[in-house]
Amino acid sequence: SHPELLDWLAIQLVKNKWSLKKLHRLIVTSSTYRQSTAVSEKTREVDPENKLFSRFERRRLTGEEMRDAILSASGRLNPEQFGLPIFPPLADGIEEAVKYDQSKWDTQFGPEGRKRSLYIYQQRTLAMPFLQTFDALVCDESRPRRRASVTPLQALALANGRLVNEEAVYFAKRIRSKTDDDPAAQITYAFQVAFARKPDSAEVQQMQTFMEQAQKGDPLASLCRILLNANEFAYID
């Protein structure tokens, strides 16, 4: 769609001795690449379909990014790099239905099973349902391009899924370890972790009201679950 841009990038590649690393750095540090999704009246008029890259195309986190972001928010993401594939717990023990010995899917419940999703073992007959729901590339079929869908199953996976509900509890523990018992301070820190910003006064009031009216379980864990289900958490702006 932009042959002149491709020609210019090709020239830069040759000038930099065919270094793909330098080409990638050039692209990702450009002002165009680092734009937000905000649409001004001017860009809406001049570039309504974003063919001129006047703004960033809003996108949802990939399946792997979603899992990693949830674990990161709870403070339980294992940052260890390299090593063998990992076998995180699967919903409803489905791994037991397909494995014929312990080595087929040796479920890891400790920190080793919470490494980044890049390290999850890929098996054609057994994929992690959460990742499949969010269009992750798994070995069940050949795909020339990753799909990007928005389905009810994704909302259900976040609202009722085991991963989010378990990590929301640890998210709440993380907040309590860093703040006092002041609900406003807890809400502010939770927003900073989940959204990388502070809440405004209306959001603080709304969340405080929710926590005061919560009748079951831990109100703070319920608040954390709400934040992990928010579009702002799942989408890049």
Side-chain angles (χ1 to χ4, degrees):
S1 61
H2 297 74
E4 296 87 354
L5 175 59
L6 290 176
D7 288 344
W8 184 84
L9 289 172
I11 293 172
Q12 299 306 310
L13 177 63
V14 175
K15 284 184 176 180
N16 288 295
K17 300 180 180 179
W18 302 91
S19 172
L20 290 176
K21 186 174 183 178
K22 289 184 178 180
L23 182 66
H24 292 159
R25 183 182 293 113
L26 173 67
I27 293 172
V28 300
T29 58
S30 67
S31 59
T32 301
Y33 186 90
R34 293 183 293 167
Q35 293 181 116
S36 74
T37 58
V39 182
S40 66
E41 290 300 324
K42 181 178 179 181
T43 57
R44 192 190 306 275
E45 179 181 348
V46 176
D47 187 23
E49 298 182 2
N50 202 29
K51 291 183 178 180
L52 301 177
F53 300 135
S54 60
R55 60 184 180 276
F56 177 73
E57 287 284 358
R58 194 169 192 250
R59 76 168 180 86
R60 195 200 65 225
L61 295 175
T62 64
E64 296 91 340
E65 291 170 333
M66 185 73 75
R67 174 181 175 272
D68 293 354
I70 292 170
L71 289 171
S72 178
S74 71
R76 300 216 305 156
L77 180 66
N78 182 351
E80 180 184 344
Q81 296 182 348
F82 314 113
L84 297 173
I86 66 171
F87 300 86
L90 301 180
D92 302 320
I94 59 174
E95 69 274 16
E96 299 297 332
V98 298
K99 69 181 184 181
Y100 48 81
D101 60 34
Q102 191 62 23
S103 64
K104 194 64 176 176
W105 188 280
D106 189 11
T107 305
Q108 299 166 319
F109 295 96
E112 65 277 7
R114 296 194 297 273
K115 290 173 65 175
R116 288 184 300 148
S117 302
L118 171 70
Y119 298 104
I120 294 177
Y121 181 72
Q122 291 290 310
Q123 180 177 324
R124 185 177 296 275
T125 58
L126 181 62
M128 192 171 183
F130 183 86
L131 298 187
Q132 276 189 307
T133 301
F134 286 94
D135 307 309
L137 292 174
V138 292
C139 295
D140 58 345
E141 61 184 41
S142 297
R143 298 184 189 176
R145 179 178 297 178
R146 184 186 289 254
R147 289 194 290 259
S149 65
V150 178
T151 69
L153 288 178
Q154 294 164 359
L156 291 172
L158 292 176
N160 303 322
R162 172 181 174 180
L163 176 65
V164 172
N165 281 275
E166 286 186 353
E167 297 308 317
V169 175
Y170 288 99
F171 190 1
K173 290 181 179 179
R174 177 184 179 183
I175 294 172
R176 287 194 172 97
S177 69
K178 298 293 185 179
T179 62
D180 52 26
D181 293 330
D182 179 18
Q186 293 176 339
I187 293 168
T188 298
Y189 185 65
F191 267 69
Q192 289 176 318
V193 172
F195 302 152
R197 68 171 178 86
K198 292 183 178 180
D200 58 34
S201 57
E203 289 171 328
V204 172
Q205 182 60 49
Q206 184 180 23
M207 293 302 172
Q208 279 187 305
T209 301
F210 167 78
M211 293 176 66
E212 291 169 358
Q213 295 178 350
Q215 298 179 351
K216 293 183 179 180
D218 180 2
L220 184 56
S222 297
L223 168 66
C224 293
R225 181 167 166 265
I226 289 175
L227 299 184
L228 296 179
N229 274 265
N231 279 348
E232 189 171 350
F233 183 81
Y235 283 82
I236 298 176
D237 289 326

